[in-house]
Amino acid sequence: MAGDTATIEELKLWGFATGDAPSDSGPTPPRRSVRCVFRGDQFTSYYERARQIARVLQRIDDLEVLPYPVQSPMMHVRVSGPCDTITSRMVDIARKDGIWMFGRAYDTEGPNLQRFEFNVGDATMEFSTKEVGQLFERVVGNVR
């Protein structure tokens, strides 16, 4: 990394908190650097909202937040159910409501157990925790 000591220390902290591997800490981590410059003042509010959302999501059947409690504005959401059904529901929400919740499952732990990454940022802050919970209910409710 290149920069002053305070900036480098801040980047190390957020790199660790967001799950970046030590090998990602080379001289060219532009996405992390840009995030700190443009959104660094928002990380605390993103993190607090992520904690609130995680508490709501933990109460949804067939859904688990990992790690819990969350350690950063990003969390893994493990969902019980077929990946194609979950993905199809998420895409339906995107088409009908214009809300993109998360990308494809990054890990499939069997035919009925998927992991998705959910990030809290500017767009998420526009929704109440209740609204986020309702969206997840639509994705995972009665999925089996």
Side-chain angles (χ1 to χ4, degrees):
M1 283 187 207
D4 64 283
T5 303
T7 301
I8 291 170
E9 291 306 311
E10 181 75 8
L11 291 174
K12 284 181 189 177
L13 171 68
W14 284 105
F16 176 76
T18 59
D20 282 348
S23 62
D24 291 341
S25 299
T28 58
R31 62 184 166 76
R32 188 169 54 212
S33 300
V34 169
R35 245 185 267 139
C36 284
V37 169
F38 293 110
R39 294 289 184 249
D41 60 334
Q42 298 297 315
F43 281 148
T44 300
S45 59
Y46 296 161
Y47 171 64
E48 288 304 319
R49 181 60 60 87
R51 290 170 41 101
Q52 295 164 359
I53 289 170
R55 284 193 291 272
V56 169
L57 298 184
Q58 277 293 100
R59 295 192 295 260
I60 297 174
D61 290 339
D62 295 323
L63 186 149
E64 180 182 14
V65 174
L66 300 170
Y68 188 80
V70 297
Q71 304 297 305
S72 74
M74 184 277 295
M75 64 191 85
H76 294 171
V77 179
R78 185 162 50 190
V79 179
S80 298
C83 190
D84 58 342
T85 301
I86 295 163
T87 302
S88 176
R89 288 180 179 186
M90 189 271 306
V91 169
D92 284 346
I93 290 171
R95 286 186 180 132
K96 291 176 184 172
D97 303 310
I99 300 168
W100 186 256
M101 295 176 58
F102 44 79
R104 65 177 174 78
Y106 77 86
D107 192 17
T108 298
E109 300 173 18
N112 289 305
L113 194 58
Q114 327 309 322
R115 281 192 191 212
F116 297 87
E117 186 175 286
F118 182 72
N119 295 286
V120 175
D122 289 343
T124 312
M125 299 297 280
E126 296 178 18
F127 295 89
S128 71
T129 56
K130 181 179 178 181
E131 290 170 320
V132 174
Q134 290 169 338
L135 288 166
F136 271 93
E137 286 276 1
R138 288 172 58 190
V139 171
V140 303
N142 299 316
V143 76
R144 289 183 179 205

